[in-house]
Structure formats: structure tokens, C-alpha cells
Amino acid sequence: AQTVTQSQPEMSVQEAETVTLSCTYDTSESDYYLFWYKQPPSRQMILVIRQEAYKQQNATENRFSVNFQKAAKSFSLKISDSQLGDAAMYFCAYRSARGSQGNLIFGKGTKLSVKP
Amino acid sequence: EPEVTQTPSHQVTQMGQEVILRCVPISNHLYFYWYRQILGQKVEFLVSFYNNEISEKSEIFDDQFSVERPDGSNFTLKIRSTKLEDSAMYFCASPSQLYRTDTQYFGPGTRLTVL
């Protein structure tokens, strides 16, 4: 079974600085998707970024980028120019590409605080 | 971001009562998922639903849970006899594109409190 591990329960960053959140996963599959979701205090789950395992190029979305290391099974999220609104729980998630109905497997999350 | 809607936003019920949580996925999509998040814990998969049938379910999704599609656009999650440990946020999720199912977008969630 696949597992997702986020080893940093909490992280803190100064406004305008850069922070990296770590995620590792375990799978025997070669084709899959990886995601980062943001959960603000409202508890809504908001998609931040996604990565297809077959793509070597790291995904980027504005201030958010990932460092995808397939061999190491690592998928970290980098937030540049951190803003107060980035404060939230961040969840890393895995989805198998086998079939079309795969559910998401989540890590336990990292709580990010942004200091003004 | 595509919109998934859920009602109610907050439901309070007494232990042993039945609750029905509702969701409207992204328009016309046949795939649909329910997840649960107990306060302070990670999000856990409950069940996936495709074309009016359950396609996968987790061990959490026992006989007290059921999912239905009562009409063309609405989906429901029913908990027959609620327990204290059912208190959680319940999310539905849906892919955004009819023929591309890899990315799931979440509704705002229903916060269920069992007293």
C-alpha cells in the first residue's frame, strides 16, 4: 500500500521569505500523480499544485514550485515571497495513475505560520 | 478553481440519529469521492462513486454509511446511526474535466458534530 509522510508537523517563515515543506512517499508504482493541497482555517481544501510522475520537469504555479525527485520518492513544496495568506495546513497527496478512479492518499500535514 | 458545493456547512446531531450530507459535484461529472477529516488529523478516503455505483471504498466505510445519487446532479452520504467518533469534516471531491480524472477538487466540507 502507498503511504505519504510529512515529517514537519509545523514550520514558520518570515513574510517575503522562502520556505520549503517536505514530503516523501512510498509506492511500487511507476506512474502516479502528486499534489499539494492548502487548508486554511476555514478548512476548505484548495489545490495548490500537481505533478505527474512521468514528467521530469518540476511543476510551478506562480510563487509555488515543487522539487520532485522520483528516485528518492520525494516531493517538496517551495513557497517563495511568503505572504500572510499562505498561513495554513499543507497536505501532500498521492494518487495512483492506474485506472481512472483512484482516491487520494494524504500525509498528516504541515502547519505553516507566516510572521509579519 | 472549479466549484463543488456541499450542504449543510455544519450539522449537529444526537448520537444514534441519521444524517444526510449533500454534494453537487462539478457539472456532469460521473466520478465522485467522499473523504473525512477528524479534527487535527489527516484527510481519509471513504468511498468513490462512478456512474451510479460504488467503485471503491475504504475500511472506514462500513455498513452504517451509504452513498446515493438521488437525482442527476446531487450526491448524498448517509450515516444511519451516528456515533461520537463520526464527528469530523466530510468533504466531497470531483474531477473537473469529464475525460480527465487525475485531479480532484474539493467542496467546502460539512462539519458534523455528534453529541
Side-chain angles (χ1 to χ4, degrees), chain A residues 39 43 89 91 108, chain B residues 37-43:
Chain A
Q39 187 178 45
R43 299 191 72 183
M89 284 290 290
F91 291 95
K108 291 185 176 181
Chain B
Q37 184 186 31
I38 295 172
L39 184 63
Q41 298 188 21
K42 66 179 177 181
V43 179

Side-chain angles (χ1 to χ4, degrees), chain B residues 1-5 23-32 69 71-75 92-101 103 105-107:
Chain B
E1 185 168 301
E3 188 175 18
V4 178
T5 59
C23 177
V24 179
I26 292 167
S27 182
N28 298 321
H29 219 294
L30 299 178
Y31 291 98
F32 186 76
R69 190 177 183 184
D71 60 41
S73 59
N74 293 294
F75 288 83
C92 63
S94 169
S96 64
Q97 300 177 35
L98 195 59
Y99 299 108
R100 181 174 176 176
T101 60
T103 301
Y105 294 90
F106 283 71

Side-chain angles (χ1 to χ4, degrees), chain B residues 56-76:
Chain B
E56 283 184 87
K57 59 183 181 179
S58 72
E59 57 191 27
I60 302 170
F61 193 85
D62 59 24
D63 291 344
Q64 70 163 339
F65 291 95
S66 62
V67 288
E68 291 182 359
R69 190 177 183 184
D71 60 41
S73 59
N74 293 294
F75 288 83
T76 61

Side-chain angles (χ1 to χ4, degrees), chain A residues 52-72:
Chain A
E52 294 94 332
Y54 64 85
K55 289 187 177 179
Q56 291 188 338
Q57 186 175 9
N58 290 323
T60 61
E61 286 287 343
N62 301 313
R63 297 183 296 107
F64 298 87
S65 61
V66 298
N67 183 5
F68 173 49
Q69 301 288 329
K70 191 172 184 180

Side-chain angles (χ1 to χ4, degrees), chain B residues 12-28:
Chain B
V12 181
T13 189
Q14 295 290 325
M15 189 170 57
Q17 295 297 303
E18 174 182 285
V19 295
I20 297 175
L21 312 181
R22 292 181 169 82
C23 177
V24 179
I26 292 167
S27 182
N28 298 321

